[in-house]
């Protein structure tokens, strides 16, 4: 998956990845100092790790932990060595929940203990004609890669395992976004039909916007 060349939306995140040296056993750096952008923004976040010890004590040299809030991970690349003891990884993300969020990388090793780096992310509602408020009002806000008919249904969210029920429609979620399991409110579901089952595109409520159209795009490109 070529995350760095995967964007086809009008609002994107773009930045150059540079390494900040801080003198730890592993120096962490993101391609942003911080991010402020509206809900529905899709882009790439890169992270680099400079290993400063020749003999890494971690059983798995790439046993780095990632945590995040207010964003949805749409895809990621494997670690790639881009220089001596310098490794890089990219995430394709969608900003999904208004408020203060983050992407964090951390690790624990026997030499230096726990270390982390945090990328602050502020997610705004955006303009009236932006994807979040458009989707809430009943207009599907993104382009499709194929000539498909978009349907929508509104109702209470009921999630049992991977089975999502909203109104009269039931769909299997390919991934379950963080926070959806315990959600008790109403949401609007956008989907396409024409095959044996509905294809999920977008799930939006006053509290979040979760995208699944990247799966439709990947399937169309295969």
């Amino acid at each position: 998956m070529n995350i760095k060349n995967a964007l086809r939306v009008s609002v994107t995140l773009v930045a150059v990845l540079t390494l900040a040296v801080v003198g730890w056993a592993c120096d962490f750096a993101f391609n942003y100092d911080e991010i402020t952008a509206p809900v529905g923004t899709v882009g790439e976040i890169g992270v680099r790790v400079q290993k400063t010890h020749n003999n890494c004590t971690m059983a798995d040299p790439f046993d780095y932990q990632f945590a995040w809030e207010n964003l949805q991970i749409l895809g990621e690349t494997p670690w790639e060595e881009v220089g001596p003891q310098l490794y890089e990884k990219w995430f394709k993300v969608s900003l999904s929940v208004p408020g203060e969020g983050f992407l964090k990388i951390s690790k624990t090793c026997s030499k230096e203990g726990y270390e982390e780096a945090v990328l602050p992310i502020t997610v705004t509602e955006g303009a009236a004609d932006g994807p979040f408020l458009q989707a809430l009002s009943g207009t599907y806000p993104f382009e499709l890669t194929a000539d498909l008919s978009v349907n929508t249904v509104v109702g209470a969210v009921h999630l049992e395992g991977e089975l999502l029920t909203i109104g009269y429609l039931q769909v299997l979620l390919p991934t379950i976004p963080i926070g959806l399991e315990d959600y008790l409110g109403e949401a609007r579901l956008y989907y396409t039909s024409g095959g044996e089952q509905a294809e999920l595109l977008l799930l939006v409520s006053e509290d979040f916007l979760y995208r699944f159209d990247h799966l439709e795009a990947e399937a169309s490109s295969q």
Side-chain angles (χ1 to χ4, degrees):
M1 179 186 298
N2 191 339
I3 300 297
K4 289 176 281 185
N5 294 320
L7 299 185
R8 288 190 302 275
V9 297
S10 59
V11 182
T12 61
L13 305 174
V14 179
V16 176
L17 183 57
T18 58
L19 187 69
V21 178
V22 294
W24 293 343
C26 291
D27 297 339
F28 301 135
F30 293 98
N31 63 327
Y32 295 91
D33 294 326
E34 60 181 326
I35 291 172
T36 299
V39 174
T41 299
V42 170
E44 304 103 355
I45 297 177
V47 58
R48 278 187 174 180
V49 174
Q50 177 75 68
K51 291 180 176 289
T52 59
H53 289 328
N54 290 328
N55 297 318
C56 181
T57 61
M58 294 192 297
D60 179 350
F62 298 107
D63 188 21
Y64 300 105
Q65 308 303 311
F66 288 93
W68 56 87
E69 287 187 4
N70 292 23
L71 60 88
Q72 179 186 5
I73 303 296
L74 304 182
E76 61 185 273
T77 67
W79 286 104
E80 177 184 359
E81 187 170 9
V82 295
Q85 295 286 85
L86 179 61
Y87 300 89
E88 182 177 291
K89 182 181 183 71
W90 289 83
F91 291 93
K92 183 180 180 182
V93 307
S94 174
L95 305 189
S96 57
V97 178
E100 299 299 319
F102 63 84
L103 176 63
K104 177 172 69 176
I105 180 175
S106 65
K107 65 93 181 175
T108 302
C109 75
S110 60
K111 285 188 176 180
E112 299 293 337
Y114 179 82
E115 297 172 345
E116 69 174 36
V118 179
L119 171 65
I121 300 173
T122 300
V123 186
T124 65
E125 287 192 356
D129 60 350
F132 182 52
L133 296 181
Q134 276 194 54
L136 279 177
S137 69
T139 300
Y140 184 68
F142 304 115
E143 293 183 3
L144 295 173
T145 59
D147 185 16
L148 299 172
S149 176
V150 178
N151 305 295
T152 184
V153 60
V154 179
V157 173
H158 179 70
L159 185 64
E160 185 174 350
E162 298 176 345
L163 183 64
L164 173 68
T165 302
I166 294 184
Y168 57 80
L169 190 68
Q170 290 187 324
V171 292
L172 289 173
L173 293 181
T175 59
I176 301 176
I178 295 174
L180 186 59
E181 291 183 348
D182 301 322
Y183 190 72
L184 299 177
E186 288 194 345
R188 179 183 292 273
L189 177 69
Y190 291 88
Y191 65 98
T192 65
S193 58
E196 294 183 356
Q197 61 182 11
E199 296 293 335
L200 178 61
L201 295 174
L202 176 68
L203 184 64
V204 62
S205 76
E206 294 182 353
D207 301 300
F208 58 73
L209 183 150
Y210 295 130
R211 298 185 62 163
F212 300 93
D213 55 314
H214 63 292
L215 300 174
E216 176 269 334
E218 290 173 6
S220 298
S221 65
Q222 293 177 354

